[in-house]
Amino acid sequence: ISETTASVQKSGEPTSKDSFFHLEPGLVMTYRVVRGLPQPEADHSDSANILAQAAAAQNSENRIRSAGTSACIQSRFLTVALPDVFQTLDTLEAALHPVLVHHKGHGDALLVGFPGLPHTCWPPQATLNNSLQADCLSRLLTHLSETGEIQRPTPGRRHAFFVGFGNGACALA
Protein backbone atom coordinates (compact mmCIF):
# COMPACT_ATOMS: atom_id res chain seq x y z
CA ILE A 1 0.00 0.00 0.00
CA SER A 2 1.33 3.38 -0.93
CA GLU A 3 1.65 6.08 1.70
CA THR A 4 -1.15 8.13 0.10
CA THR A 5 -3.58 5.20 0.05
CA ALA A 6 -2.78 4.28 3.64
CA SER A 7 -3.39 7.84 4.85
CA VAL A 8 -6.76 8.02 3.12
CA GLN A 9 -7.82 4.69 4.60
CA LYS A 10 -6.67 5.71 8.11
CA SER A 11 -8.47 9.05 8.00
CA GLY A 12 -11.84 7.32 7.86
CA GLU A 13 -12.88 9.02 4.61
CA PRO A 14 -14.53 6.79 2.05
CA THR A 15 -12.22 5.71 -0.75
CA SER A 16 -15.15 5.33 -3.17
CA LYS A 17 -18.43 7.09 -3.91
CA ASP A 18 -20.14 3.70 -4.32
CA SER A 19 -22.44 2.08 -1.80
CA PHE A 20 -22.86 -1.66 -1.35
CA PHE A 21 -26.16 -3.52 -1.20
CA HIS A 22 -25.96 -7.00 0.35
CA LEU A 23 -28.79 -9.06 -1.13
CA GLU A 24 -27.87 -12.29 0.64
CA PRO A 25 -24.67 -13.86 1.98
CA GLY A 26 -22.01 -13.66 -0.71
CA LEU A 27 -24.18 -11.67 -3.17
CA VAL A 28 -23.24 -7.98 -3.18
CA MET A 29 -23.92 -5.28 -5.72
CA THR A 30 -22.83 -1.65 -5.90
CA TYR A 31 -24.84 1.49 -6.52
CA ARG A 32 -24.38 5.23 -6.52
CA VAL A 33 -27.01 7.93 -6.17
CA VAL A 34 -26.01 11.09 -8.02
CA ARG A 35 -28.07 14.12 -7.05
CA GLY A 36 -29.04 16.73 -9.63
CA LEU A 37 -26.29 19.12 -10.47
CA PRO A 38 -26.76 22.90 -10.58
CA GLN A 39 -26.43 24.76 -13.86
CA PRO A 40 -23.01 26.43 -14.27
CA GLU A 41 -23.15 30.13 -13.40
CA ALA A 42 -23.52 32.58 -16.26
CA ASP A 43 -20.93 35.26 -16.95
CA HIS A 44 -22.23 38.52 -15.46
CA SER A 45 -19.39 40.78 -16.59
CA ASP A 46 -21.66 43.11 -18.61
CA SER A 47 -23.93 45.30 -16.41
CA ALA A 48 -26.50 45.75 -19.20
CA ASN A 49 -26.68 41.97 -19.46
CA ILE A 50 -27.35 41.76 -15.71
CA LEU A 51 -30.20 44.27 -15.96
CA ALA A 52 -31.74 42.35 -18.88
CA GLN A 53 -31.46 39.06 -16.95
CA ALA A 54 -33.07 40.61 -13.85
CA ALA A 55 -35.98 41.96 -15.91
CA ALA A 56 -36.48 38.59 -17.61
CA ALA A 57 -36.43 36.81 -14.25
CA GLN A 58 -39.01 39.23 -12.82
CA ASN A 59 -41.26 38.77 -15.88
CA SER A 60 -41.13 34.98 -15.59
CA GLU A 61 -41.93 35.16 -11.84
CA ASN A 62 -44.94 37.37 -12.59
CA ARG A 63 -46.17 34.88 -15.23
CA ILE A 64 -45.87 31.99 -12.78
CA ARG A 65 -47.75 33.90 -10.06
CA SER A 66 -50.57 34.83 -12.45
CA ALA A 67 -50.86 31.21 -13.67
CA GLY A 68 -51.45 29.93 -10.13
CA THR A 69 -49.48 27.77 -7.72
CA SER A 70 -49.64 24.61 -9.85
CA ALA A 71 -47.18 26.18 -12.32
CA CYS A 72 -44.63 26.52 -9.51
CA ILE A 73 -44.36 22.77 -9.06
CA GLN A 74 -41.44 21.50 -11.10
CA SER A 75 -41.38 17.88 -12.11
CA ARG A 76 -38.27 15.90 -11.30
CA PHE A 77 -36.88 12.76 -12.84
CA LEU A 78 -34.78 9.78 -11.86
CA THR A 79 -32.57 8.04 -14.40
CA VAL A 80 -31.70 4.47 -13.46
CA ALA A 81 -28.59 3.52 -15.44
CA LEU A 82 -27.22 0.01 -15.89
CA PRO A 83 -23.64 -0.38 -17.17
CA ASP A 84 -22.08 -2.75 -19.68
CA VAL A 85 -19.91 -5.68 -18.58
CA PHE A 86 -16.57 -3.90 -18.18
CA GLN A 87 -17.97 -0.46 -17.42
CA THR A 88 -17.55 1.10 -13.97
CA LEU A 89 -19.92 3.45 -12.21
CA ASP A 90 -17.36 6.24 -12.71
CA THR A 91 -17.61 6.01 -16.50
CA LEU A 92 -21.39 5.74 -16.25
CA GLU A 93 -21.53 8.89 -14.12
CA ALA A 94 -19.34 10.73 -16.62
CA ALA A 95 -21.73 9.73 -19.43
CA LEU A 96 -24.80 11.02 -17.55
CA HIS A 97 -23.21 14.20 -16.18
CA PRO A 98 -24.20 16.40 -19.17
CA VAL A 99 -27.85 15.30 -18.86
CA LEU A 100 -27.99 16.22 -15.17
CA VAL A 101 -26.30 19.59 -15.76
CA HIS A 102 -28.54 20.38 -18.74
CA HIS A 103 -31.69 19.89 -16.68
CA LYS A 104 -30.53 22.37 -14.01
CA GLY A 105 -30.70 20.08 -11.00
CA HIS A 106 -34.18 18.66 -11.70
CA GLY A 107 -32.90 15.13 -12.20
CA ASP A 108 -31.10 12.51 -10.16
CA ALA A 109 -29.35 9.35 -11.33
CA LEU A 110 -29.12 5.90 -9.78
CA LEU A 111 -26.12 4.01 -11.12
CA VAL A 112 -26.37 0.25 -10.57
CA GLY A 113 -23.51 -2.27 -10.56
CA PHE A 114 -24.91 -5.79 -10.82
CA PRO A 115 -23.18 -8.86 -9.36
CA GLY A 116 -20.54 -9.85 -11.87
CA LEU A 117 -19.47 -6.28 -12.58
CA PRO A 118 -16.43 -4.49 -11.08
CA HIS A 119 -16.41 -4.19 -7.26
CA THR A 120 -19.19 -6.76 -6.69
CA CYS A 121 -19.30 -10.25 -5.15
CA TRP A 122 -21.29 -13.36 -5.97
CA PRO A 123 -21.19 -16.97 -4.79
CA PRO A 124 -19.60 -19.55 -7.11
CA GLN A 125 -22.88 -21.44 -7.53
CA ALA A 126 -24.79 -18.30 -8.67
CA THR A 127 -25.84 -18.09 -12.30
CA LEU A 128 -25.27 -14.52 -13.44
CA ASN A 129 -28.13 -14.05 -15.89
CA ASN A 130 -30.82 -11.51 -16.74
CA SER A 131 -33.26 -13.04 -14.27
CA LEU A 132 -30.83 -12.57 -11.37
CA GLN A 133 -30.03 -9.02 -12.50
CA ALA A 134 -33.73 -8.07 -12.77
CA ASP A 135 -34.35 -9.48 -9.27
CA CYS A 136 -31.35 -7.56 -7.89
CA LEU A 137 -32.59 -4.32 -9.48
CA SER A 138 -36.10 -4.80 -8.09
CA ARG A 139 -34.81 -5.46 -4.59
CA LEU A 140 -32.42 -2.49 -4.74
CA LEU A 141 -35.16 -0.09 -5.89
CA THR A 142 -37.47 -1.31 -3.13
CA HIS A 143 -34.73 -0.90 -0.51
CA LEU A 144 -33.78 2.61 -1.67
CA SER A 145 -37.45 3.70 -1.76
CA GLU A 146 -38.08 2.36 1.74
CA THR A 147 -34.98 4.05 3.18
CA GLY A 148 -35.73 7.34 1.42
CA GLU A 149 -32.55 7.43 -0.65
CA ILE A 150 -34.69 7.77 -3.78
CA GLN A 151 -38.29 8.85 -4.26
CA ARG A 152 -40.88 6.68 -5.98
CA PRO A 153 -42.13 7.95 -9.35
CA THR A 154 -45.44 9.83 -9.13
CA PRO A 155 -47.51 10.87 -12.16
CA GLY A 156 -46.87 14.49 -13.15
CA ARG A 157 -44.31 15.10 -10.39
CA ARG A 158 -41.56 12.48 -10.52
CA HIS A 159 -40.66 10.45 -13.60
CA ALA A 160 -38.33 7.46 -13.92
CA PHE A 161 -36.26 6.53 -16.95
CA PHE A 162 -34.31 3.29 -17.28
CA VAL A 163 -31.19 3.29 -19.46
CA GLY A 164 -29.07 0.23 -20.15
CA PHE A 165 -25.66 0.30 -21.81
CA GLY A 166 -24.62 -2.89 -23.64
CA ASN A 167 -25.48 -5.91 -21.48
CA GLY A 168 -27.12 -3.60 -18.95
CA ALA A 169 -29.99 -3.22 -21.43
CA CYS A 170 -30.61 -6.98 -21.32
CA ALA A 171 -31.59 -6.84 -17.64
CA LEU A 172 -34.31 -4.33 -18.51
CA ALA A 173 -35.89 -6.56 -21.18
Side-chain angles (χ1 to χ4, degrees), residues 124-136:
Q125 71 275 12
T127 303
L128 301 177
N129 57 21
N130 297 344
S131 177
L132 174 70
Q133 291 178 343
D135 181 54
C136 291

Side-chain angles (χ1 to χ4, degrees), residues 97-118:
H97 184 265
V99 173
L100 297 176
V101 169
H102 176 75
H103 289 284
K104 302 176 185 162
H106 296 292
D108 300 325
L110 172 63
L111 315 177
V112 179
F114 289 121
L117 295 177

